[in-house]
Amino acid sequence: MKSKLTPLHEAVARIPDGATIALGGSLLRRQPMALVHELVRQRKRELTLLTWATTLATDMLAANEAIRRWEGIYAGFFRHGLAPNFRRAVQSGQIETHDYSESAFVARFRAAAMGLPFLPSKALLGTGMAGKSPEEIKPLTCPFTGQPLLALKAADADFTLLHGYAADEYGNIQWPVVRDSDDIDQMMASASKRLIVTVEKIIPHHQVRQRPALTYIPHTLVEALIEVPYGAHPTATDGFYDEDEAFLKSWLTASATPEGARNWLEEYVFSCPERSQYVEKVGSQSALNAFDVEREF
């Protein structure tokens, strides 16, 4: 094993314009925000995003005009309403969208994880989703029963970006004992070609060896690893800290106009190239500590 520790800016610099990126997290949990901030700062363009239930990560990239195409199950802000920048870009035609049901999108990532070009599914039969994405969804007849099926193309991403909990320096990513599980990060990792992961904490390798069953992403899948405490802020990392509701609302308030969103990005992203500067900008380390929950790591 070799160390996978990499500076944040260097890891993101490997991603070219026009890349297809799978973004992890679900709703207001573990959006890979430190990585997204760096994508914004490096002004990546013409990206295709593959997401699960995405919130701030996608909306911020939309505000920075980084997205050409989006494929996923949901883009919004959960109980806080719609994603204003994403919605504007979709309505103007700047972002091309391809919607999937949860089970259909799982099939696409499962196919990629299995090394298959597609998996069959019934999930989208009778919906308009199939006709909207003919490049990824094709009719298929079961060779055994003659039943109509749909072939769902594997979700092939050039890069996968995830925010995890804890890892050793070699890239063995571990769950906490108590956690939520409404995302598909583990499957995204298994399907990845080039995987970049931020984690809350780097732990000693012997600790990983003591509890091997908690390793949900093995080092063999990880290309680059970055320790970024509060790397999902202002979204939550279950088992570590809750979401920062006030800060999320500040983004939504600023995003009432494109100019407001750009000003917000200038203040909190472009003017904070170092993570320590961002921490100070949002109110210092003690302000972030206020969202902590009791944890084992």
PDB file of all heavy atoms in Angstrom, residues 101-129:
ATOM      1  N   SER A 101     -35.573   7.380 -12.055  1.00  0.00           N
ATOM      2  CA  SER A 101     -36.071   6.946 -10.753  1.00  0.00           C
ATOM      3  C   SER A 101     -34.882   6.437  -9.945  1.00  0.00           C
ATOM      4  O   SER A 101     -33.802   6.168 -10.481  1.00  0.00           O
ATOM      5  CB  SER A 101     -37.105   5.831 -10.916  1.00  0.00           C
ATOM      6  OG  SER A 101     -36.477   4.628 -11.340  1.00  0.00           O
ATOM      7  N   GLU A 102     -35.088   6.278  -8.643  1.00  0.00           N
ATOM      8  CA  GLU A 102     -34.001   5.793  -7.786  1.00  0.00           C
ATOM      9  C   GLU A 102     -33.531   4.399  -8.207  1.00  0.00           C
ATOM     10  O   GLU A 102     -32.338   4.133  -8.330  1.00  0.00           O
ATOM     11  CB  GLU A 102     -34.441   5.802  -6.324  1.00  0.00           C
ATOM     12  CG  GLU A 102     -34.662   7.199  -5.778  1.00  0.00           C
ATOM     13  CD  GLU A 102     -34.984   7.197  -4.295  1.00  0.00           C
ATOM     14  OE1 GLU A 102     -34.765   6.164  -3.618  1.00  0.00           O
ATOM     15  OE2 GLU A 102     -35.455   8.239  -3.802  1.00  0.00           O
ATOM     16  N   SER A 103     -34.479   3.489  -8.420  1.00  0.00           N
ATOM     17  CA  SER A 103     -34.078   2.119  -8.761  1.00  0.00           C
ATOM     18  C   SER A 103     -33.390   2.062 -10.120  1.00  0.00           C
ATOM     19  O   SER A 103     -32.464   1.271 -10.325  1.00  0.00           O
ATOM     20  CB  SER A 103     -35.293   1.186  -8.736  1.00  0.00           C
ATOM     21  OG  SER A 103     -36.303   1.648  -9.611  1.00  0.00           O
ATOM     22  N   ALA A 104     -33.809   2.911 -11.048  1.00  0.00           N
ATOM     23  CA  ALA A 104     -33.181   2.930 -12.372  1.00  0.00           C
ATOM     24  C   ALA A 104     -31.746   3.431 -12.278  1.00  0.00           C
ATOM     25  O   ALA A 104     -30.835   2.892 -12.924  1.00  0.00           O
ATOM     26  CB  ALA A 104     -33.989   3.789 -13.333  1.00  0.00           C
ATOM     27  N   PHE A 105     -31.532   4.468 -11.460  1.00  0.00           N
ATOM     28  CA  PHE A 105     -30.170   5.010 -11.358  1.00  0.00           C
ATOM     29  C   PHE A 105     -29.258   4.059 -10.607  1.00  0.00           C
ATOM     30  O   PHE A 105     -28.071   3.952 -10.915  1.00  0.00           O
ATOM     31  CB  PHE A 105     -30.212   6.383 -10.693  1.00  0.00           C
ATOM     32  CG  PHE A 105     -29.216   7.352 -11.280  1.00  0.00           C
ATOM     33  CD1 PHE A 105     -29.119   7.531 -12.644  1.00  0.00           C
ATOM     34  CD2 PHE A 105     -28.382   8.093 -10.457  1.00  0.00           C
ATOM     35  CE1 PHE A 105     -28.205   8.418 -13.199  1.00  0.00           C
ATOM     36  CE2 PHE A 105     -27.462   8.983 -10.997  1.00  0.00           C
ATOM     37  CZ  PHE A 105     -27.375   9.147 -12.362  1.00  0.00           C
ATOM     38  N   VAL A 106     -29.805   3.366  -9.609  1.00  0.00           N
ATOM     39  CA  VAL A 106     -29.027   2.330  -8.935  1.00  0.00           C
ATOM     40  C   VAL A 106     -28.580   1.272  -9.938  1.00  0.00           C
ATOM     41  O   VAL A 106     -27.435   0.808  -9.915  1.00  0.00           O
ATOM     42  CB  VAL A 106     -29.857   1.689  -7.805  1.00  0.00           C
ATOM     43  CG1 VAL A 106     -29.255   0.351  -7.373  1.00  0.00           C
ATOM     44  CG2 VAL A 106     -29.930   2.623  -6.609  1.00  0.00           C
ATOM     45  N   ALA A 107     -29.474   0.881 -10.849  1.00  0.00           N
ATOM     46  CA  ALA A 107     -29.119  -0.127 -11.855  1.00  0.00           C
ATOM     47  C   ALA A 107     -27.956   0.349 -12.715  1.00  0.00           C
ATOM     48  O   ALA A 107     -27.073  -0.441 -13.078  1.00  0.00           O
ATOM     49  CB  ALA A 107     -30.336  -0.442 -12.718  1.00  0.00           C
ATOM     50  N   ARG A 108     -27.935   1.643 -13.054  1.00  0.00           N
ATOM     51  CA  ARG A 108     -26.852   2.165 -13.889  1.00  0.00           C
ATOM     52  C   ARG A 108     -25.506   2.097 -13.166  1.00  0.00           C
ATOM     53  O   ARG A 108     -24.493   1.704 -13.743  1.00  0.00           O
ATOM     54  CB  ARG A 108     -27.163   3.593 -14.315  1.00  0.00           C
ATOM     55  CG  ARG A 108     -28.353   3.709 -15.263  1.00  0.00           C
ATOM     56  CD  ARG A 108     -28.418   5.097 -15.892  1.00  0.00           C
ATOM     57  NE  ARG A 108     -27.234   5.342 -16.686  1.00  0.00           N
ATOM     58  CZ  ARG A 108     -26.828   6.548 -17.048  1.00  0.00           C
ATOM     59  NH1 ARG A 108     -27.497   7.628 -16.675  1.00  0.00           N
ATOM     60  NH2 ARG A 108     -25.742   6.702 -17.784  1.00  0.00           N
ATOM     61  N   PHE A 109     -25.477   2.479 -11.882  1.00  0.00           N
ATOM     62  CA  PHE A 109     -24.227   2.399 -11.128  1.00  0.00           C
ATOM     63  C   PHE A 109     -23.850   0.954 -10.831  1.00  0.00           C
ATOM     64  O   PHE A 109     -22.662   0.597 -10.828  1.00  0.00           O
ATOM     65  CB  PHE A 109     -24.335   3.204  -9.834  1.00  0.00           C
ATOM     66  CG  PHE A 109     -24.040   4.661 -10.025  1.00  0.00           C
ATOM     67  CD1 PHE A 109     -25.069   5.589 -10.076  1.00  0.00           C
ATOM     68  CD2 PHE A 109     -22.745   5.114 -10.195  1.00  0.00           C
ATOM     69  CE1 PHE A 109     -24.805   6.932 -10.274  1.00  0.00           C
ATOM     70  CE2 PHE A 109     -22.465   6.457 -10.391  1.00  0.00           C
ATOM     71  CZ  PHE A 109     -23.501   7.373 -10.431  1.00  0.00           C
ATOM     72  N   ARG A 110     -24.846   0.105 -10.604  1.00  0.00           N
ATOM     73  CA  ARG A 110     -24.545  -1.297 -10.362  1.00  0.00           C
ATOM     74  C   ARG A 110     -23.926  -1.941 -11.609  1.00  0.00           C
ATOM     75  O   ARG A 110     -22.997  -2.750 -11.501  1.00  0.00           O
ATOM     76  CB  ARG A 110     -25.820  -2.037  -9.958  1.00  0.00           C
ATOM     77  CG  ARG A 110     -25.609  -3.485  -9.549  1.00  0.00           C
ATOM     78  CD  ARG A 110     -26.865  -4.038  -8.891  1.00  0.00           C
ATOM     79  NE  ARG A 110     -27.046  -3.483  -7.553  1.00  0.00           N
ATOM     80  CZ  ARG A 110     -28.230  -3.284  -6.982  1.00  0.00           C
ATOM     81  NH1 ARG A 110     -29.348  -3.576  -7.644  1.00  0.00           N
ATOM     82  NH2 ARG A 110     -28.300  -2.806  -5.759  1.00  0.00           N
ATOM     83  N   ALA A 111     -24.414  -1.572 -12.773  1.00  0.00           N
ATOM     84  CA  ALA A 111     -23.830  -2.093 -14.008  1.00  0.00           C
ATOM     85  C   ALA A 111     -22.367  -1.691 -14.119  1.00  0.00           C
ATOM     86  O   ALA A 111     -21.497  -2.522 -14.451  1.00  0.00           O
ATOM     87  CB  ALA A 111     -24.619  -1.578 -15.216  1.00  0.00           C
ATOM     88  N   ALA A 112     -22.085  -0.417 -13.831  1.00  0.00           N
ATOM     89  CA  ALA A 112     -20.695   0.043 -13.903  1.00  0.00           C
ATOM     90  C   ALA A 112     -19.830  -0.686 -12.883  1.00  0.00           C
ATOM     91  O   ALA A 112     -18.685  -1.074 -13.179  1.00  0.00           O
ATOM     92  CB  ALA A 112     -20.640   1.548 -13.676  1.00  0.00           C
ATOM     93  N   ALA A 113     -20.354  -0.892 -11.673  1.00  0.00           N
ATOM     94  CA  ALA A 113     -19.599  -1.589 -10.639  1.00  0.00           C
ATOM     95  C   ALA A 113     -19.317  -3.034 -11.024  1.00  0.00           C
ATOM     96  O   ALA A 113     -18.287  -3.607 -10.633  1.00  0.00           O
ATOM     97  CB  ALA A 113     -20.363  -1.528  -9.316  1.00  0.00           C
ATOM     98  N   MET A 114     -20.224  -3.641 -11.807  1.00  0.00           N
ATOM     99  CA  MET A 114     -20.056  -5.037 -12.222  1.00  0.00           C
ATOM    100  C   MET A 114     -19.243  -5.161 -13.510  1.00  0.00           C
ATOM    101  O   MET A 114     -18.980  -6.270 -13.971  1.00  0.00           O
ATOM    102  CB  MET A 114     -21.437  -5.676 -12.419  1.00  0.00           C
ATOM    103  CG  MET A 114     -22.257  -5.774 -11.147  1.00  0.00           C
ATOM    104  SD  MET A 114     -23.978  -6.274 -11.466  1.00  0.00           S
ATOM    105  CE  MET A 114     -23.748  -7.973 -12.022  1.00  0.00           C
ATOM    106  N   GLY A 115     -18.858  -4.044 -14.087  1.00  0.00           N
ATOM    107  CA  GLY A 115     -18.113  -4.081 -15.340  1.00  0.00           C
ATOM    108  C   GLY A 115     -18.969  -4.451 -16.528  1.00  0.00           C
ATOM    109  O   GLY A 115     -18.455  -4.928 -17.553  1.00  0.00           O
ATOM    110  N   LEU A 116     -20.286  -4.212 -16.432  1.00  0.00           N
ATOM    111  CA  LEU A 116     -21.220  -4.536 -17.508  1.00  0.00           C
ATOM    112  C   LEU A 116     -21.611  -3.269 -18.271  1.00  0.00           C
ATOM    113  O   LEU A 116     -21.659  -2.187 -17.692  1.00  0.00           O
ATOM    114  CB  LEU A 116     -22.480  -5.198 -16.945  1.00  0.00           C
ATOM    115  CG  LEU A 116     -22.280  -6.541 -16.247  1.00  0.00           C
ATOM    116  CD1 LEU A 116     -23.590  -6.993 -15.612  1.00  0.00           C
ATOM    117  CD2 LEU A 116     -21.764  -7.587 -17.236  1.00  0.00           C
ATOM    118  N   PRO A 117     -21.921  -3.386 -19.555  1.00  0.00           N
ATOM    119  CA  PRO A 117     -22.314  -2.195 -20.315  1.00  0.00           C
ATOM    120  C   PRO A 117     -23.707  -1.691 -19.967  1.00  0.00           C
ATOM    121  O   PRO A 117     -24.023  -0.526 -20.188  1.00  0.00           O
ATOM    122  CB  PRO A 117     -22.246  -2.654 -21.774  1.00  0.00           C
ATOM    123  CG  PRO A 117     -22.437  -4.138 -21.705  1.00  0.00           C
ATOM    124  CD  PRO A 117     -21.795  -4.566 -20.428  1.00  0.00           C
ATOM    125  N   PHE A 118     -24.566  -2.567 -19.427  1.00  0.00           N
ATOM    126  CA  PHE A 118     -25.919  -2.161 -19.046  1.00  0.00           C
ATOM    127  C   PHE A 118     -26.503  -3.203 -18.103  1.00  0.00           C
ATOM    128  O   PHE A 118     -25.966  -4.306 -17.942  1.00  0.00           O
ATOM    129  CB  PHE A 118     -26.829  -2.014 -20.281  1.00  0.00           C
ATOM    130  CG  PHE A 118     -27.223  -3.332 -20.904  1.00  0.00           C
ATOM    131  CD1 PHE A 118     -28.393  -3.993 -20.522  1.00  0.00           C
ATOM    132  CD2 PHE A 118     -26.417  -3.930 -21.870  1.00  0.00           C
ATOM    133  CE1 PHE A 118     -28.750  -5.203 -21.082  1.00  0.00           C
ATOM    134  CE2 PHE A 118     -26.758  -5.145 -22.438  1.00  0.00           C
ATOM    135  CZ  PHE A 118     -27.930  -5.793 -22.050  1.00  0.00           C
ATOM    136  N   LEU A 119     -27.637  -2.853 -17.495  1.00  0.00           N
ATOM    137  CA  LEU A 119     -28.453  -3.808 -16.768  1.00  0.00           C
ATOM    138  C   LEU A 119     -29.906  -3.647 -17.211  1.00  0.00           C
ATOM    139  O   LEU A 119     -30.349  -2.523 -17.498  1.00  0.00           O
ATOM    140  CB  LEU A 119     -28.365  -3.602 -15.257  1.00  0.00           C
ATOM    141  CG  LEU A 119     -27.180  -4.251 -14.530  1.00  0.00           C
ATOM    142  CD1 LEU A 119     -27.243  -3.939 -13.038  1.00  0.00           C
ATOM    143  CD2 LEU A 119     -27.145  -5.765 -14.743  1.00  0.00           C
ATOM    144  N   PRO A 120     -30.666  -4.748 -17.258  1.00  0.00           N
ATOM    145  CA  PRO A 120     -32.083  -4.648 -17.615  1.00  0.00           C
ATOM    146  C   PRO A 120     -32.904  -4.174 -16.424  1.00  0.00           C
ATOM    147  O   PRO A 120     -32.558  -4.419 -15.267  1.00  0.00           O
ATOM    148  CB  PRO A 120     -32.440  -6.079 -18.005  1.00  0.00           C
ATOM    149  CG  PRO A 120     -31.509  -6.927 -17.200  1.00  0.00           C
ATOM    150  CD  PRO A 120     -30.243  -6.149 -17.088  1.00  0.00           C
ATOM    151  N   SER A 121     -34.018  -3.507 -16.718  1.00  0.00           N
ATOM    152  CA  SER A 121     -34.880  -3.000 -15.659  1.00  0.00           C
ATOM    153  C   SER A 121     -36.293  -2.815 -16.180  1.00  0.00           C
ATOM    154  O   SER A 121     -36.499  -2.604 -17.383  1.00  0.00           O
ATOM    155  CB  SER A 121     -34.345  -1.658 -15.139  1.00  0.00           C
ATOM    156  OG  SER A 121     -35.232  -1.082 -14.206  1.00  0.00           O
ATOM    157  N   LYS A 122     -37.261  -2.878 -15.258  1.00  0.00           N
ATOM    158  CA  LYS A 122     -38.646  -2.536 -15.582  1.00  0.00           C
ATOM    159  C   LYS A 122     -39.012  -1.143 -15.066  1.00  0.00           C
ATOM    160  O   LYS A 122     -40.117  -0.664 -15.311  1.00  0.00           O
ATOM    161  CB  LYS A 122     -39.605  -3.548 -14.941  1.00  0.00           C
ATOM    162  CG  LYS A 122     -39.529  -4.958 -15.490  1.00  0.00           C
ATOM    163  CD  LYS A 122     -40.565  -5.836 -14.793  1.00  0.00           C
ATOM    164  CE  LYS A 122     -40.569  -7.254 -15.345  1.00  0.00           C
ATOM    165  NZ  LYS A 122     -41.603  -8.081 -14.665  1.00  0.00           N
ATOM    166  N   ALA A 123     -38.085  -0.523 -14.355  1.00  0.00           N
ATOM    167  CA  ALA A 123     -38.420   0.650 -13.548  1.00  0.00           C
ATOM    168  C   ALA A 123     -39.063   1.785 -14.329  1.00  0.00           C
ATOM    169  O   ALA A 123     -39.969   2.439 -13.830  1.00  0.00           O
ATOM    170  CB  ALA A 123     -37.171   1.161 -12.834  1.00  0.00           C
ATOM    171  N   LEU A 124     -38.621   2.043 -15.544  1.00  0.00           N
ATOM    172  CA  LEU A 124     -39.086   3.223 -16.272  1.00  0.00           C
ATOM    173  C   LEU A 124     -40.116   2.900 -17.346  1.00  0.00           C
ATOM    174  O   LEU A 124     -40.518   3.791 -18.111  1.00  0.00           O
ATOM    175  CB  LEU A 124     -37.897   3.953 -16.903  1.00  0.00           C
ATOM    176  CG  LEU A 124     -36.810   4.406 -15.928  1.00  0.00           C
ATOM    177  CD1 LEU A 124     -35.714   5.159 -16.665  1.00  0.00           C
ATOM    178  CD2 LEU A 124     -37.383   5.255 -14.805  1.00  0.00           C
ATOM    179  N   LEU A 125     -40.544   1.646 -17.420  1.00  0.00           N
ATOM    180  CA  LEU A 125     -41.568   1.289 -18.400  1.00  0.00           C
ATOM    181  C   LEU A 125     -42.841   2.092 -18.137  1.00  0.00           C
ATOM    182  O   LEU A 125     -43.283   2.240 -17.002  1.00  0.00           O
ATOM    183  CB  LEU A 125     -41.877  -0.210 -18.318  1.00  0.00           C
ATOM    184  CG  LEU A 125     -40.796  -1.156 -18.850  1.00  0.00           C
ATOM    185  CD1 LEU A 125     -41.163  -2.603 -18.521  1.00  0.00           C
ATOM    186  CD2 LEU A 125     -40.611  -0.982 -20.361  1.00  0.00           C
ATOM    187  N   GLY A 126     -43.409   2.645 -19.178  1.00  0.00           N
ATOM    188  CA  GLY A 126     -44.637   3.408 -19.044  1.00  0.00           C
ATOM    189  C   GLY A 126     -44.444   4.844 -18.612  1.00  0.00           C
ATOM    190  O   GLY A 126     -45.417   5.558 -18.371  1.00  0.00           O
ATOM    191  N   THR A 127     -43.196   5.290 -18.514  1.00  0.00           N
ATOM    192  CA  THR A 127     -42.922   6.679 -18.146  1.00  0.00           C
ATOM    193  C   THR A 127     -42.334   7.420 -19.343  1.00  0.00           C
ATOM    194  O   THR A 127     -41.904   6.814 -20.324  1.00  0.00           O
ATOM    195  CB  THR A 127     -41.912   6.769 -16.986  1.00  0.00           C
ATOM    196  OG1 THR A 127     -40.590   6.464 -17.477  1.00  0.00           O
ATOM    197  CG2 THR A 127     -42.275   5.794 -15.873  1.00  0.00           C
ATOM    198  N   GLY A 128     -42.278   8.728 -19.223  1.00  0.00           N
ATOM    199  CA  GLY A 128     -41.658   9.536 -20.272  1.00  0.00           C
ATOM    200  C   GLY A 128     -40.154   9.618 -20.145  1.00  0.00           C
ATOM    201  O   GLY A 128     -39.484  10.155 -21.035  1.00  0.00           O
ATOM    202  N   MET A 129     -39.609   9.075 -19.063  1.00  0.00           N
ATOM    203  CA  MET A 129     -38.161   9.169 -18.838  1.00  0.00           C
ATOM    204  C   MET A 129     -37.376   8.403 -19.904  1.00  0.00           C
ATOM    205  O   MET A 129     -36.311   8.831 -20.342  1.00  0.00           O
ATOM    206  CB  MET A 129     -37.797   8.646 -17.451  1.00  0.00           C
ATOM    207  CG  MET A 129     -38.328   9.476 -16.307  1.00  0.00           C
ATOM    208  SD  MET A 129     -37.864   8.768 -14.704  1.00  0.00           S
ATOM    209  CE  MET A 129     -38.668   9.909 -13.586  1.00  0.00           C
TER     210      MET A 129
END
